[in-house]
Amino acid sequence: MTLQDQRVVILGGTSGIGLATAQLAAEQGASVIVASSNPSSVQRALTALPASAAGQAVDLTDSAAVAAFFAGLEPFDHLVYTAGEALTLLEVRTMDLAQARQAFELRYFGALGAVSAAVPRLRPGGSVVLTTGAAGDRPGPGWSVAASICGAVDSLVRALAVELAPLRVNAVKPGVVRTPLWRDALDYDATAEHLPVQRVGEPEDIAAAYVYLMNQPYATGSIVSVDGGHVLV
């Protein structure tokens, strides 16, 4: 199966995993629309995508802006949400609750708001693919907020799969991936030594899972882990 002649909207699709997903979807024949909050990031992404791709800067924490973005789109087949901010570990003893709420605002409420606004534009037989993370299954010190977001998204996927049926709703659960969001928070080499696959993930590794879920007509409420064995060690 391929995405030939389908339309795919990727929020957070201008860098890292989102951009890799946009590129792979385009290789399969999809028309891709990418969005993120940074106009210059959108423009850079469009230079890496086919001429048929489109992009727009949208504040994904602004529900009115998100609603206006989807209202301006023609019907499409798949929504992918990969948006996130640079990873910051927050220890409970020194917790900045404002920062914690901000993380939920983009990664959880941003996803929920995007789905709500997108549903009227999604064609029959289409799908939504959200993003969770391995931290929800195997957190470390400082991961309470990140793990909580992952757990919330996991539950959201299952609930939406029931509520929005027969529209399919799934998620990808990455482990450590070599993207700008992780760059300043982790030592990639040290992390790789502890993983069964002996390397951290690349955006292209994770993109394949998003495209698989878009193509898989019998998957809904599914969460596909692509974590290099993170939860095993």
Side-chain angles (χ1 to χ4, degrees):
M1 293 180 288
T2 71
L3 298 173
Q4 185 68 43
D5 299 325
Q6 297 188 40
R7 302 185 76 222
V8 179
V9 176
I10 305 177
L11 304 184
T14 62
S15 65
I17 292 170
L19 179 57
T21 301
Q23 291 170 319
L24 184 55
E27 288 174 12
Q28 291 201 0
S31 296
V32 175
I33 302 101
V34 298
S36 73
S37 61
N38 188 329
S40 61
S41 181
V42 173
Q43 292 306 310
R44 283 196 302 272
L46 291 177
T47 66
L49 292 166
S52 60
Q56 186 173 327
V58 182
D59 181 353
L60 299 177
T61 65
D62 182 337
S63 58
V66 171
F69 168 73
F70 282 107
L73 295 181
E74 295 296 323
F76 60 96
D77 300 283
H78 304 283
L79 171 66
V80 176
Y81 193 92
T82 63
E85 71 295 310
L87 180 66
T88 301
L89 301 184
L90 300 174
E91 295 186 0
V92 171
R93 291 181 180 85
T94 56
M95 180 70 66
D96 181 340
L97 287 180
Q99 192 173 8
R101 290 190 182 99
Q102 186 177 15
F104 264 92
E105 193 67 32
L106 180 59
R107 291 181 178 265
Y108 176 80
F109 288 108
L112 179 58
V115 174
S116 177
V119 164
R121 290 287 191 269
L122 277 163
R123 291 170 174 155
S127 77
V128 172
V129 188
L130 302 181
T131 303
T132 176
D137 296 325
R138 196 172 188 282
W143 286 83
S144 58
V145 173
S148 299
I149 293 169
C150 294
V153 174
D154 287 358
S155 296
L156 177 63
V157 166
R158 291 187 285 267
L160 290 178
V162 174
E163 181 174 345
L164 299 180
L167 184 73
R168 297 181 295 107
V169 183
N170 299 291
V172 176
K173 181 176 286 190
V176 178
V177 185
R178 196 184 304 273
T179 75
L181 296 186
W182 290 89
R183 183 173 52 212
D184 297 328
L186 294 174
D187 182 329
Y188 289 136
D189 292 336
T191 300
E193 291 177 1
H194 292 93
L195 293 174
V197 296
Q198 293 289 287
R199 68 177 180 89
V200 299
E202 300 295 338
E204 294 75 16
D205 296 322
I206 317 303
Y210 290 90
V211 171
Y212 164 77
L213 288 170
M214 285 186 270
N215 276 319
Q216 174 48 262
Y218 201 54
T220 194
S222 297
I223 299 171
V224 175
S225 294
V226 190
D227 64 4
H230 171 80
V231 299
L232 304 176
V233 295

